[in-house]
Amino acid sequence: MKSAAHFARLKELGLYDNKLIAFISDHGEMNGRRAIVDKGVYLHPDVVRVPMVFKLPDAKPPRGATVESPASLLDLSQTILDFAGIRPEAKFDGISLLPAIESGHGEEDRTVLFFGGWHVGVNFDCGIQHRASDGRRYLYSYNCTSKVDELFDLDSEDATNLIDKPEYAKVRREVIQRLGAALQSDPRWLGYWAEFRIAKFSDLPKTQGDMQLFAMPD
């Protein structure tokens, strides 16, 4: 109801038509789905997939466009800056969604990482969204404190864990290798990479060098 009141006030002031308004959520909720409650300490499509809706200024086409390609809350600041014509010099992890909004197509193969658990210490996990060679979208979750990983089909209405199903063995290898490459490429994820490279040694490409990470990355 507060949003409705804010919109009404913007209209009273004659500001609504030329404003960019973003409607977002920081996370989803399980709400009893698959007998699970809460959020944030595990990765599941119901938790990491949330609405992101933009009300564009009236002078800015198109209207009613829907983009299904991967996006992140980290993109919000970049999108707002892009609308304002500002190009920040500092590094941002997000990207502007303005090109996707204008074209109706985003970066389908974009690498989007997910993390959960550090703020509560229950389950330290990381994961990745991935479009596999079969054309379908998947979410892979590596659970550091559990022997069970998770693989979800994002095109499924009620996603179930597919990680141990033989017919998804190829997808499993793809997502493990993609997550490994993403973790290894950024020193900020050294903590996850140090654990992941050992736990998934048999699934990752074999490399030479400092396996005990005595030498810190640049």
Side-chain angles (χ1 to χ4, degrees):
M1 296 300 295
K2 290 183 178 180
S3 295
H6 292 158
F7 293 159
R9 182 56 177 163
L10 286 174
K11 291 177 180 178
E12 289 176 8
L13 297 173
L15 301 174
Y16 181 83
D17 291 342
N18 65 354
K19 286 291 180 284
L20 168 68
I21 299 174
F23 175 83
I24 61 174
S25 173
D26 61 343
H27 56 73
E29 296 276 355
M30 293 303 296
N31 290 328
R33 171 95 86 159
R34 312 207 67 77
I36 301 175
V37 296
D38 208 353
K39 76 287 180 183
V41 296
Y42 43 77
L43 298 180
H44 186 277
D46 285 4
V47 174
V48 301
R49 302 177 82 186
V50 297
M52 180 182 285
V53 181
F54 290 97
K55 195 288 292 183
L56 304 182
D58 283 357
K60 190 78 175 178
R63 299 175 65 88
T66 299
V67 179
E68 305 219 0
S69 304
S72 167
L73 291 176
L74 297 173
D75 301 334
L76 183 60
S77 60
Q78 289 290 74
T79 303
I80 294 174
L81 291 173
D82 198 6
F83 265 104
I86 299 173
R87 299 291 187 271
E89 295 182 3
K91 177 180 178 181
F92 278 77
D93 288 313
I95 64 173
S96 172
L97 298 176
L98 181 56
I101 294 172
E102 293 176 339
S103 67
H105 302 285
E107 297 183 27
E108 188 63 36
D109 294 320
R110 178 184 177 194
T111 296
V112 179
L113 292 176
F114 302 91
F115 298 89
W118 288 111
H119 63 300
V120 291
V122 177
N123 177 42
F124 305 110
D125 61 340
C126 59
I128 196 166
Q129 179 167 308
H130 174 64
R131 187 165 66 106
S133 55
D134 64 3
R136 296 181 72 84
R137 298 182 181 93
Y138 294 90
L139 173 67
Y140 168 64
S141 175
Y142 168 62
N143 299 305
C144 303
T145 57
S146 171
K147 295 181 180 179
V148 180
D149 292 346
E150 296 165 279
L151 178 68
F152 300 108
D153 183 348
L154 292 176
D155 294 317
S156 172
E157 183 174 340
D158 187 12
T160 59
N161 191 6
L162 307 172
I163 197 70
D164 291 327
K165 293 187 178 297
E167 60 268 35
Y168 291 95
K170 182 179 180 182
V171 175
R172 176 184 175 276
R173 287 192 299 271
E174 288 180 3
V175 294
I176 287 176
Q177 291 181 11
R178 184 168 185 182
L179 178 57
L183 294 175
Q184 187 180 15
S185 68
D186 194 323
R188 291 177 299 174
W189 315 137
L190 177 63
Y192 280 115
W193 171 236
E195 157 72 17
F196 189 74
R197 71 199 306 231
I198 296 173
K200 301 302 176 186
F201 179 80
S202 60
D203 295 301
L204 294 170
K206 303 303 179 285
T207 59
Q208 301 295 322
D210 178 23
M211 289 302 295
Q212 297 187 45
L213 297 177
F214 285 133
M216 294 296 290
D218 294 333

